[in-house]
């Protein structure tokens, strides 16, 4: 398992519509991840016909229980607050760059 993150120069469009520029003199930039657990299934390899992820959809996996299909009202409020406090760019809301939203943006939020 691994977690990957990338840093890319989006200051011409991603940072308040390009109004806020990245201060590259503050490099190197670091990200720290803590306090979470990862459960999941292996990546589906489209070139490998023997790779079968049917087990990923079995009901005994916690992520397949109905409880995790939607957020309750408290969770939705918490998500909204986190987005408001920490998210400064959302490509799903960037109608100038994406007049037709990517498929993952069409899911109810």
């Amino acid at each position: 398992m691994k977690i990957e993150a990338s840093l890319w120069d989006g200051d011409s469009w991603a940072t308040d519509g390009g109004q806020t520029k990245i201060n590259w003199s503050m490099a190197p930039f670091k990200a720290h991840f803590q306090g979470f657990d990862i459960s999941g299934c292996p990546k589906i390899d489209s070139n490998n016909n023997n790779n079968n992820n049917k087990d990923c959809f079995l009901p005994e996996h916690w992520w397949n229980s109905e409880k995790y299909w939607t957020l309750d009202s408290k969770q939705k409020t918490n998500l909204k607050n986190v987005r408001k406090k920490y998210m400064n760019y959302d490509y799903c809301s960037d109608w100038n760059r994406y007049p037709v939203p990517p498929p993952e943006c069409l899911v109810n939020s």
Side-chain angles (χ1 to χ4, degrees):
M1 299 288 288
K2 65 181 176 178
I3 296 175
E4 291 187 26
S6 65
L7 177 68
W8 35 270
D9 184 1
D11 72 358
S12 65
W13 56 272
T15 54
D16 302 317
Q19 300 301 308
T20 304
K21 299 300 178 190
I22 297 169
N23 184 349
W24 293 103
S25 70
M26 301 298 289
F29 302 103
K30 297 180 181 179
H32 299 273
F33 303 93
Q34 64 184 27
F36 63 92
D37 182 35
I38 298 174
S39 299
C41 288
K43 176 183 169 188
I44 297 173
D45 184 356
S46 60
N47 296 321
N48 182 356
N49 292 333
N50 295 327
N51 189 352
N52 187 339
N53 280 358
K54 288 181 183 175
D55 288 348
C56 293
F57 301 99
L58 294 175
E60 58 261 21
H61 294 304
W62 65 265
W63 59 81
N64 289 330
S65 67
E66 191 171 347
K67 174 182 177 182
Y68 297 102
W69 294 354
T70 60
L71 300 177
D72 62 32
S73 61
K74 183 177 179 184
Q75 292 169 324
K76 287 179 183 179
T77 299
N78 288 341
L79 177 60
K80 184 178 178 180
N81 290 336
V82 167
R83 284 180 171 173
K84 184 177 180 180
K85 183 173 181 180
Y86 297 107
M87 186 167 63
N88 62 13
Y89 175 72
D90 176 10
Y91 68 95
C92 290
S93 300
D94 190 344
W95 301 105
N96 292 325
R97 289 194 76 215
Y98 302 101
V100 176
E104 66 271 20
C105 297
L106 301 175
V107 178
N108 293 333
S109 55

